[in-house]
C-alpha cells in the first residue's frame, strides 16, 4: 500500500524558582504539549485515513530541603489533564493523572571543592484515572569534579519507568477496534 504516517509535536515549558538560599527552596513548572498523529493508506489491506490530536497541560510544584551539608531532599507532585480527539477514537476523551515524587542526594565523599561523589535514590508513585497505579524506583550515582575553571559532572542511574498508554492506544475504534 501507500501507507504514510505523520507525527508532530509542539511543547511549551515555563518554570519559576525561588532563590536556592531560601529556607525551603521551591519551583513551579508548567507545560503545554500538543501532539498530532495521522496515518493514511488508501490502497493497502488495512485502508485508513486516521488522525488523532492530544493536548496535555501539566503543573509540577517542587520543594527542596537541605537536611545537612551532605544531604538534600526533594519532593513534588505532577498533575496533568489531557484531552484527545480524532476520527478513529470512540469520542472526545479526557484523562487526569497525578504523581508523587521524592528523591534525595546523599554526598558520600567530598574532597574540598574539587570533587564530590553522591548517591541519588528516588521514588515515584503515579495514578491515572481508570488504569492501575505504578511505583517507579530509581537509583543514581553522581560524580562532580572541578579542575580550575572547568567543571565536569558524570551521572548514571538505573530504575524502572511507567509510560501510560496514549488515548489513541486505549480508545482506537477504527477497523472494528474497541481500544
Amino acid at each position: 500500500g501507500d501507507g504514510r504516517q505523520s507525527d508532530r509535536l509542539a511543547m511549551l515549558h515555563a518554570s519559576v524558582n525561588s532563590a536556592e538560599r531560601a529556607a525551603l527552596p521551591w519551583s513551579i513548572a508548567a507545560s503545554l504539549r500538543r501532539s498530532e498523529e495521522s496515518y493514511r493508506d488508501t490502497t493497502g489491506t488495512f485502508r485508513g485515513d486516521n488522525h488523532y490530536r492530544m493536548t496535555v497541560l501539566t503543573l509540577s510544584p517542587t520543594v527542596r530541603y537541605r537536611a545537612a551539608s551532605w544531604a538534600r531532599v526533594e519532593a513534588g507532585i505532577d498533575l496533568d489533564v489531557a484531552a484527545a480527539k480524532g476520527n478513529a477514537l470512540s469520542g472526545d476523551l479526557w484523562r487526569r493523572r497525578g504523581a508523587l515524587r521524592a528523591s534525595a542526594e546523599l554526598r558520600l565523599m567530598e574532597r574540598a571543592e574539587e570533587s564530590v561523589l553522591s548517591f541519588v535514590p528516588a521514588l515515584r508513585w503515579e495514578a491515572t484515572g481508570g488504569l492501575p497505579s505504578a511505583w517507579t524506583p530509581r537509583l543514581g550515582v553522581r560524580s562532580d569534579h572541578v579542575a580550575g575553571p572547568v567543571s565536569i559532572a558524570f551521572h548514571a542511574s538505573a530504575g524502572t519507568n511507567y509510560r501510560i498508554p496514549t488515548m489513541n492506544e486505549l480508545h482506537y475504534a477504527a477497523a472494528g477496534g474497541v481500544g
Side-chain angles (χ1 to χ4, degrees):
D2 66 348
R4 294 188 318 271
Q5 182 164 345
S6 172
D7 294 338
R8 285 179 265 178
L9 173 66
M11 186 169 180
L12 176 64
H13 183 83
S15 63
V16 176
N17 302 293
S18 71
E20 280 298 316
R21 295 180 310 277
L24 198 60
W26 55 267
S27 64
I28 297 176
S31 65
L32 178 64
R33 177 182 174 179
R34 175 148 178 143
S35 58
E36 297 181 10
E37 299 174 20
S38 63
Y39 177 79
R40 181 183 173 123
D41 188 350
T42 58
T43 62
T45 304
F46 300 103
R47 296 179 182 177
D49 186 4
N50 300 326
H51 59 272
Y52 162 76
R53 289 187 184 132
M54 186 163 152
T55 303
V56 181
L57 176 63
T58 303
L59 183 65
S60 301
T62 302
V63 294
R64 292 175 290 288
Y65 176 68
R66 184 167 294 282
S69 63
W70 54 271
R72 183 179 80 151
V73 178
E74 182 174 299
I77 58 175
D78 297 328
L79 302 170
D80 70 40
V81 61
K85 60 171 51 177
N87 67 337
L89 296 179
S90 56
D92 290 352
L93 306 169
W94 288 88
R95 175 176 68 205
R96 291 181 305 278
R97 181 184 65 94
L100 301 174
R101 54 187 159 75
S103 65
E105 180 181 357
L106 308 171
R107 293 182 175 200
L108 303 177
M109 180 176 63
E110 189 167 357
R111 229 181 284 149
E113 293 291 321
E114 296 177 3
S115 63
V116 175
L117 179 63
S118 301
F119 173 65
V120 186
L123 184 62
R124 178 182 176 94
W125 176 76
E126 194 165 322
T128 303
L131 296 172
S133 61
W135 288 94
T136 55
R138 186 171 304 267
L139 181 59
V141 175
R142 181 179 169 97
S143 179
D144 295 284
H145 304 278
V146 177
V150 178
S151 174
I152 298 173
F154 299 98
H155 182 85
S157 65
T160 60
N161 192 22
Y162 174 69
R163 182 187 74 82
I164 56 176
T166 67
M167 286 194 264
N168 193 26
E169 291 168 338
L170 290 172
H171 302 281
Y172 181 74
V178 292

